[in-house]
Amino acid sequence: MRTTALTLTTALTLSLLAGVAHAAECSTVKFSDVGWTDITTTTSATKQVLQALGYKVDVKVLSVPVTYASLESDDVDVFLGNWMPAQTGAITPYLDSGEIESVAVNLTGTKYTLAVPTYTYDKGLTDYSKIAQFADSLGNKIYGIEPGNEGNGYLIGLTEKDTFGLGKFKVVESSEQGMLAEVGRDYDEKKDVVFLGWEPHPMNAKFALKYLPGGEDFFGGEGVVNTVTRKGYVAECPNVGKLLTNVKFTLPMENEIMGEILNDGADPDEATMKWMKANPDAVMAWVAGVTTLDGADGAAAVKAALAL
């Protein structure tokens, strides 16, 4: 009986210690933010809700390829910016190996492909096959986003293979802000320009744009954005996992917040908080069935902490 009691006590102790270690591991949530304003926005919203629930949040700014490698190595827990189908090539090996898990669709109806101002479209640049005809007015340039981005890689591949006669074109890689600054200068002067565009983004309100057909083999048509995690994360941290499966965003939401950040210079956290305070029902839907870190009522904690 004494041996049995000791065995049970030891097992209980080990179980409790494992639970404490498990809780400690889940108490800090590590996100990747790839520097796109839409992902900064959605990461900020999720971060602020988690902090209201008692969690610590560590946000790392990483490129897409580094994000996926970091999820594989467990240096990052969550990424809210898996744009599909554009990132199919980048993420598929990790999904196939099981090192990254796709846990939810957080946005639908996205667009991501080459775009031109409407005045350029009206001149006849109406699809990928027409770009080469405008080589002189475009300066043989296609403006992309940050180096290492899968979309840039696809476009560079078109130039290397002379697909659509683009062999003399250069893909200019830059940050989102740098690319849009160049587009803005050309747009103000009514110059022709072709660049990677996407929605949600306030560029769609700032500029009169047309998205070009012809790149569907890579960019697809309308797409989705997925929430992905490192292997086993939702099973290890089910309360955070529940929040991640609940969190859904909309095009109007992201366009509104991103407009304040990019056009008005608002701080991302402040702009996101402003939207959440104005839309408490959306935030409450995110925390349905979610508790605080210590097991208390999650909805009540978020409502109080965010003054919803």
Side-chain angles (χ1 to χ4, degrees), residues 110-289:
T110 61
K111 296 176 184 175
Y112 180 45
T113 191
L114 287 178
V116 297
T118 298
Y119 59 77
T120 297
Y121 186 92
D122 290 343
K123 292 177 186 178
L125 206 174
T126 54
D127 59 56
Y128 278 55
S129 67
K130 304 292 181 61
I131 295 173
Q133 297 175 23
F134 288 75
D136 291 341
S137 64
L138 294 170
N140 287 301
K141 293 178 181 177
I142 297 170
Y143 288 93
I145 46 179
E146 77 281 349
N149 179 273
E150 280 281 297
N152 286 3
Y154 170 72
L155 297 173
I156 291 169
L158 295 183
T159 66
E160 291 175 343
K161 298 173 184 176
D162 196 26
T163 307
F164 302 121
L166 296 175
K168 294 183 179 180
F169 274 74
K170 176 184 178 182
V171 177
V172 180
E173 299 185 288
S174 179
S175 65
E176 170 194 333
Q177 291 80 4
M179 179 193 75
L180 290 175
E182 178 61 39
V183 171
R185 286 189 289 269
D186 290 342
Y187 189 89
D188 289 343
E189 296 177 13
K190 292 292 188 287
K191 292 182 178 179
D192 295 326
V193 60
V194 60
F195 61 98
L196 266 178
W198 61 90
E199 188 177 21
H201 197 283
M203 71 174 83
N204 296 279
K206 185 175 182 179
F207 308 126
L209 302 179
K210 293 287 189 179
Y211 289 89
L212 302 182
E216 289 82 3
D217 59 329
F218 176 79
F219 292 110
E222 286 195 350
V224 300
V225 181
N226 294 327
T227 298
V228 298
T229 68
R230 63 173 174 82
K231 180 181 180 179
Y233 182 72
V234 170
E236 295 169 19
C237 305
N239 190 54
V240 179
K242 176 62 175 174
L243 174 67
L244 295 177
T245 58
N246 284 353
V247 169
K248 309 292 180 189
F249 310 110
T250 66
L251 296 176
M253 169 205 170
E254 294 194 27
N255 282 330
E256 179 181 338
I257 298 172
M258 292 163 70
E260 293 201 15
I261 295 169
L262 292 173
N263 299 335
D264 303 333
D267 175 80
D269 286 346
E270 292 177 1
T272 304
M273 178 64 78
K274 178 182 175 182
W275 186 90
M276 290 194 291
K277 286 180 179 294
N279 296 272
D281 290 346
V283 181
M284 288 298 99
W286 297 348
V287 295

Side-chain angles (χ1 to χ4, degrees), residues 52-132:
L53 293 168
Y55 291 87
K56 294 180 180 179
V57 178
D58 178 17
V59 179
K60 306 173 187 292
V61 179
L62 307 169
S63 68
V64 171
V66 175
T67 292
Y68 291 145
S70 298
L71 285 164
E72 180 186 35
S73 63
D74 296 347
D75 292 324
V76 167
D77 298 319
V78 183
F79 178 45
L80 299 175
N82 171 219
W83 277 65
M84 296 296 279
Q87 293 175 15
T88 299
I91 197 171
T92 296
Y94 297 102
L95 294 174
D96 289 347
S97 70
E99 292 299 327
I100 293 178
E101 297 176 354
S102 185
V103 300
V105 174
N106 65 55
L107 182 68
T108 60
T110 61
K111 296 176 184 175
Y112 180 45
T113 191
L114 287 178
V116 297
T118 298
Y119 59 77
T120 297
Y121 186 92
D122 290 343
K123 292 177 186 178
L125 206 174
T126 54
D127 59 56
Y128 278 55
S129 67
K130 304 292 181 61
I131 295 173

